[in-house]
Amino acid sequence: MTPRPQASRTGLALGVASYLLWGFLPLYLRLLDPAGPVEVIAHRVIWTLVVCLVIVLLLRRSRELTAALRDRRTMAALATSGALLFVNWLVFVYAVGSDQLAEASLGYFINPLITVALAVVFLRERLRPVQWVALAIGGSAVVVVWSGIGRFPWIALTLGFSFGFYSYVEKRVGRAVAAPVAMSVETIAVLPIAVVYLTWLGARGGQNFAGLGVWHSLAMAGVGLATAVPLLLYNGAARRMPLSTLGLLQYMCPLMQFLTALLVFHEAMTLVSWIGFGLVWVALVVLVTDGVVARRRVARGVHAAVP
């Protein structure tokens, strides 16, 4: 069913808002200095859980949450996705704090290519020739970036693969679990890690939550809202507009991160790195164009079949 024009416009506004918030996230994370990446992520887990539980209660989905926690298969799947998300968050915060945001943006640029590769390996999907070309260009781009930065681009690949596997697990769970419930279970699964680390850090006198003033404490607690609000906006957009259109918006986030790395954080880019990023962008253009053409062919076939 085609979304109504008003619903599509609302969905577009929600989608743009969600990706804008995600795109500006590196600037917010800089407010949390000098807290280390593990401390930031530990607080992100705790405060995200608080926000999600409040949302679950407001939406009266507490029974769904209890059912998800009792279902072993659902719990195992969401615990896995929670661990992947934890790794993704941790590496991203480390990248922002160590002036490697440009490489982090590369990870999210190549994520669609990684998702296609995972579909081949785990879902046995068959690719069209143009999709293979896009994957080959993307793979060569990673090699070029590797040579440009002089070390293995582990930040980009960890971010791309962790989010790719996260999306794969989420797809396996399906729409049976509402987003606030799913995220609550995911954060509950990694909550022990956050609690143990903060307890250990506090025992050593290394906590930054209460020692740097009220505003810093509020900013640390605000990572829960910074995590949950974009997700809710995204889910609202997904219900109101075609996923194909929403998928095109995803490139806003790494583009904003890349521009932030260059214009705000003043990270250096070598000529070889520029060539590598250029190859990634070419691969994405090939992939997106092929997808649009394929959908139009399917649409024409459906219309032609209607008497």
Side-chain angles (χ1 to χ4, degrees), residues 25-37 39-41 43-44 93 208-209 212 215-223 226:
L25 185 59
L27 297 175
Y28 183 86
L29 293 176
R30 280 295 178 93
L31 298 176
L32 307 182
D33 291 340
E39 183 180 1
V40 171
I41 295 308
H43 277 285
R44 188 174 188 177
V93 173
N208 289 287
F209 179 69
L212 296 175
W215 290 111
H216 188 269
S217 298
L218 290 175
M220 289 282 278
V223 294

Side-chain angles (χ1 to χ4, degrees), residues 3-289:
R4 296 189 303 272
Q6 181 61 42
S8 294
R9 286 193 293 270
T10 303
L12 180 62
L14 293 174
V16 169
S18 67
Y19 283 115
L20 281 175
L21 290 175
W22 276 322
F24 283 120
L25 185 59
L27 297 175
Y28 183 86
L29 293 176
R30 280 295 178 93
L31 298 176
L32 307 182
D33 291 340
V38 182
E39 183 180 1
V40 171
I41 295 308
H43 277 285
R44 188 174 188 177
V45 169
I46 292 171
W47 295 110
T48 297
L49 179 58
V50 171
V51 172
C52 287
L53 290 178
V54 170
I55 294 172
V56 166
L57 291 175
L58 290 176
L59 297 179
R60 299 180 180 180
R61 293 183 178 270
S62 55
R63 290 184 179 180
E64 293 180 35
L65 176 59
T66 302
L69 291 171
R70 289 178 176 175
D71 188 296
R72 291 185 178 181
R73 292 185 61 183
T74 301
M75 184 65 191
L78 291 176
T80 301
S81 62
L84 290 166
L85 202 57
F86 185 89
V87 171
N88 187 272
W89 288 351
L90 182 61
V91 174
F92 182 75
V93 173
Y94 169 78
V96 173
S98 60
D99 294 324
Q100 298 179 83
L101 180 58
E103 186 180 337
S105 71
L106 175 65
Y108 292 114
F109 273 126
I110 65 176
N111 176 251
L113 300 170
I114 291 174
T115 300
V116 171
L118 292 178
V120 174
V121 175
F122 293 100
L123 300 180
R124 299 292 188 267
E125 293 185 8
R126 299 182 62 182
L127 299 186
R128 295 180 292 274
V130 177
Q131 290 176 307
W132 282 113
V133 170
L135 286 180
I137 297 173
S140 63
V142 172
V143 174
V144 171
V145 170
W146 184 349
S147 65
I149 63 178
R151 58 171 176 77
F152 185 69
W154 68 272
I155 291 176
L157 292 177
T158 301
L159 289 174
F161 274 99
S162 61
F163 200 77
F165 277 109
Y166 171 78
S167 301
Y168 170 75
V169 174
E170 288 288 300
K171 181 179 177 66
R172 301 289 290 183
V173 174
R175 297 181 178 275
V177 183
V181 174
M183 198 158 196
S184 296
V185 177
E186 289 170 348
T187 49
I188 288 172
V190 296
L191 182 64
I193 302 175
V195 172
V196 168
Y197 179 79
L198 290 178
T199 301
W200 172 80
L201 194 63
R204 293 178 66 250
Q207 274 272 19
N208 289 287
F209 179 69
L212 296 175
V214 174
W215 290 111
H216 188 269
S217 298
L218 290 175
M220 289 282 278
V223 294
L225 285 173
T227 300
V229 171
L231 179 65
L232 293 174
L233 291 172
Y234 174 85
N235 280 279
R239 291 193 297 268
R240 292 172 172 82
M241 64 186 299
L243 287 179
S244 57
T245 306
L246 190 61
L248 294 177
L249 292 179
Q250 71 177 307
Y251 301 112
M252 285 177 54
C253 186
L255 179 59
M256 290 178 63
Q257 293 170 359
F258 181 72
L259 292 175
T260 300
L262 292 182
L263 304 178
V264 181
F265 297 162
H266 304 293
E267 294 183 15
M269 286 280 291
T270 66
L271 176 60
V272 178
S273 296
W274 276 109
I275 294 173
F277 271 83
L279 287 172
V280 170
W281 296 329
V282 170
L284 291 176
V285 169
V286 171
L287 190 66
V288 170
T289 303

